Amino acid sequence: MEVKEKREFLDEMRKVSLMMLKTRPTAVSLPNAIRIVMNKLSRKAEETDQVEELRRTVVEASDRFIRDSIKAIKRISEIGAKRIKPGSTILTHCHSTAAVSIMIAAHKKFIRNGQKGIKVVTTETRPRKQGLITARMLANNNIPVTLIVDGAVRFFMPDADVVLIGADAIAANGAVVNKIGTSLVALAAHEARVRVYVAAESYKFSPETILGELIEIEERRPDEIVSEDFLRENPLIKVRNPAFDVTPPEYIDLIITEKGVFSPQAAPLILKDELGWSIGETHKYLI
Ligand code: RUB
């Protein structure tokens, strides 16, 4: 769309931001990325009326976020690898770039040092089976990997030395929102006294939660679980498909970020000091 006036450009950017926000209500990296870009745009708009300059600001801020995100994953992999012992068996759920990057970095380091590599048990992760992506990525990096159905987690938990997962959002109280089933994995780990590590970039922390807001759980279509035919033939059966769940901080031992490792109790510290946002003004740039 060709926009010539500053006001029109800003309105259009706000509209697009709000539209994007609605696509993934749970994963907080999206609103945080939008907030960073809109914040830069808003500051630039105070200095200039040139649409071209404003457009450039948006592109540069977006590119910077992507570059920082890639750097964050690399740093998480280096920091996280130090918390994994040679020969460990790691249990994971769903597909997390951050968690997988730690596994690959740790395995490569051990093999390079002549030590025993890691093994991974990954759930298939119903209904969308992102666990298959995890399994493929690990196998491509020569990491022995066992794929299990989600319901087999408790059966395999005694074999695990550590549970390592990613996060879609982390609340101010340290609770972790991640793929549906994560809280059951954490519960089984708790019962078996297996440590639970969460790998997450610092922009996965949700600023709104410090103001008491709850993280919305995205609910997806029932036909991800059963076929349309099944739904038609069984109109009395209600199918629910929440995509994420909440793991309480008591079940999490460590959150590995690009800024270091923290206990879940340190979440407000990261939100306030590390992200440097003025809590309470986080909506300002979106309205
Ligand atoms: C993916 C999921 C992942 C987190 C973290 O769910 O729950 O564990 O997003 O992943 P979906 P990453 O496929 O529904 O987005 O570390 O790659 O951000």
Side-chain angles (χ1 to χ4, degrees), residues 3 42 101 105 148 151 169 178 185 188 200 215 233 243 245 286:
V3 170
S42 172
S101 74
I148 62 170
N178 193 49
V185 174
I215 295 170
E233 286 157 17
D245 67 16
L286 296 176

Side-chain angles (χ1 to χ4, degrees), residues 3-286:
V3 170
K4 295 207 169 57
E5 294 291 318
K6 171 178 167 177
R7 178 84 349 247
E8 214 187 330
F9 182 73
L10 295 178
D11 284 350
E12 202 53 36
M13 282 301 299
R14 275 189 204 104
K15 242 192 280 168
V16 170
S17 301
L18 292 172
M19 191 185 77
M20 282 168 70
L21 282 178
K22 285 198 193 118
T23 61
R24 296 303 306 262
T26 306
V28 79
S29 42
L30 179 65
N32 280 348
I34 292 172
R35 197 171 280 131
I36 288 169
V37 172
M38 292 301 280
N39 183 349
K40 294 245 164 70
L41 173 63
S42 172
R43 279 168 212 269
K44 193 76 189 169
E46 284 165 17
E47 292 168 19
T48 181
D49 291 336
Q50 297 296 314
V51 170
E52 202 35 56
E53 255 187 85
L54 296 175
R55 201 191 311 270
R56 208 174 322 124
T57 300
V58 170
V59 172
E60 279 170 11
S62 311
D63 285 346
R64 195 191 169 92
F65 183 84
I66 295 168
R67 275 200 307 276
D68 286 351
S69 161
I70 294 168
K71 265 198 248 161
I73 294 288
K74 176 139 198 326
R75 193 74 193 115
I76 287 172
S77 73
E78 292 160 358
I79 295 173
K82 294 184 195 158
R83 303 305 298 240
I84 307 293
K85 293 197 180 88
S88 300
T89 297
I90 299 174
L91 192 143
T92 191
H93 183 57
C94 197
H95 172 251
S96 155
T97 316
V100 166
S101 74
I102 292 176
M103 295 177 213
I104 294 173
H107 187 74
K108 281 192 175 156
K109 185 176 73 174
F110 299 146
I111 299 298
R112 219 175 26 243
N113 296 343
Q115 293 167 304
K116 231 170 146 200
I118 61 163
K119 283 189 220 140
V120 178
V121 176
T122 181
T123 60
E124 121 190 276
T125 319
R126 280 275 288 155
R128 301 202 62 176
K129 299 191 176 174
Q130 292 97 327
L132 272 60
I133 307 171
T134 302
R136 266 198 304 267
M137 284 184 79
L138 296 171
N140 287 343
N141 281 278
N142 299 318
I143 299 175
V145 56
T146 305
L147 183 69
I148 62 170
V149 294
D150 300 357
V153 158
R154 192 160 175 262
F155 183 92
F156 284 98
M157 193 56 80
D159 298 346
D161 296 296
V162 65
V163 166
L164 177 59
I165 47 158
D168 283 89
I170 302 175
N173 69 347
V176 169
V177 180
N178 193 49
K179 179 56 52 195
I180 192 80
T182 300
S183 65
L184 274 175
V185 174
L187 193 63
H190 188 74
E191 181 199 38
R193 293 170 178 268
V194 173
R195 284 169 172 270
V196 176
Y197 293 170
V198 175
E201 306 88 309
S202 53
Y203 52 78
K204 297 283 182 69
F205 288 79
S206 167
E208 285 85 0
T209 56
I210 217 159
L211 302 175
E213 284 197 36
L214 297 175
I215 295 170
E216 185 185 334
I217 300 293
E218 180 182 339
E219 182 133 1
R220 293 190 183 160
R221 293 156 55 108
D223 63 6
E224 284 188 351
I225 298 181
V226 289
S227 67
E228 301 251 19
D229 285 347
F230 180 91
L231 289 168
R232 249 192 317 274
E233 286 157 17
N234 298 280
L236 295 181
I237 298 179
K238 184 172 174 183
V239 180
R240 296 277 311 268
N241 186 17
F244 303 97
D245 67 16
V246 183
T247 301
E250 303 82 62
Y251 294 163
I252 296 156
D253 292 281
L254 212 61
I255 302 178
I256 304 164
T257 78
E258 77 282 10
K259 295 173 194 292
V261 292
F262 299 92
S263 69
Q265 288 71 23
L269 197 127
I270 302 171
L271 274 167
K272 277 204 170 238
D273 300 339
E274 301 290 335
L275 297 183
W277 288 326
S278 171
I279 308 291
E281 293 192 351
T282 53
H283 283 304
K284 189 169 129 186
Y285 303 106
L286 296 176

